[in-house]
Amino acid sequence: MKGLVISVIVAVTMVQFMAEPGETTVVSCDEVDECLVYCVPYLTSRTGYPSALCCVGLAKLKKIAVTTAEKQTACSCIKEAAAGFPSIKEGVASSLPNKCNVQFNYPISKNTNCHE
């Protein structure tokens, strides 16, 4: 009986360390797509600036993807969506946060590792 109680305590402790509060993924690819849909024209062109709606969406994405898990999910969603647009310019994509004055600590790119 004592061994069972210790096993349960150890299991509960492990679960608490694995699932810290705030580390659940609540960001969906649909939400990420909605945030970035207005950026596609800018990302696929050679010149110009992102639209105001693009920058608003980028700022919204930053607000909804806060935890590490959410950022990783958003990054994976961005990579998946970018794969459908082979004409996206990597240099343009990497400059998007600066052009919108929205600082990210994860890339807007299809060629990145989302789980760094």
Side-chain angles (χ1 to χ4, degrees):
M1 184 67 156
K2 183 177 177 181
L4 178 62
V5 171
I6 291 173
S7 295
V8 169
I9 291 171
V10 169
V12 168
T13 303
M14 287 175 60
V15 168
Q16 286 177 335
F17 281 116
M18 290 179 357
E20 294 180 34
E23 285 294 320
T24 56
T25 302
V26 294
V27 176
S28 72
C29 286
D30 286 341
E31 289 174 301
V32 172
D33 293 347
E34 283 178 22
C35 289
L36 298 178
V37 69
Y38 294 107
C39 297
V40 173
Y42 171 72
L43 295 172
T44 57
S45 69
R46 294 186 181 268
T47 60
Y49 289 89
S51 69
L53 289 173
C54 170
C55 293
V56 167
L58 196 62
K60 179 181 176 187
L61 178 59
K62 182 179 178 179
K63 287 181 183 177
I64 65 172
V66 178
T67 68
T68 299
E70 291 167 340
K71 290 175 184 178
Q72 289 173 340
T73 298
C75 179
S76 295
C77 294
I78 291 167
K79 283 182 69 169
E80 184 180 316
F85 295 94
S87 60
I88 287 179
K89 313 291 186 252
E90 284 299 312
V92 173
S94 64
S95 72
L96 182 61
N98 281 340
K99 294 247 179 163
C100 286
N101 201 25
V102 177
Q103 299 310 311
F104 273 171
N105 50 359
Y106 60 98
I108 305 291
S109 173
K110 59 184 170 187
N111 295 324
T112 189
N113 179 359
C114 294
H115 300 284
E116 295 180 333

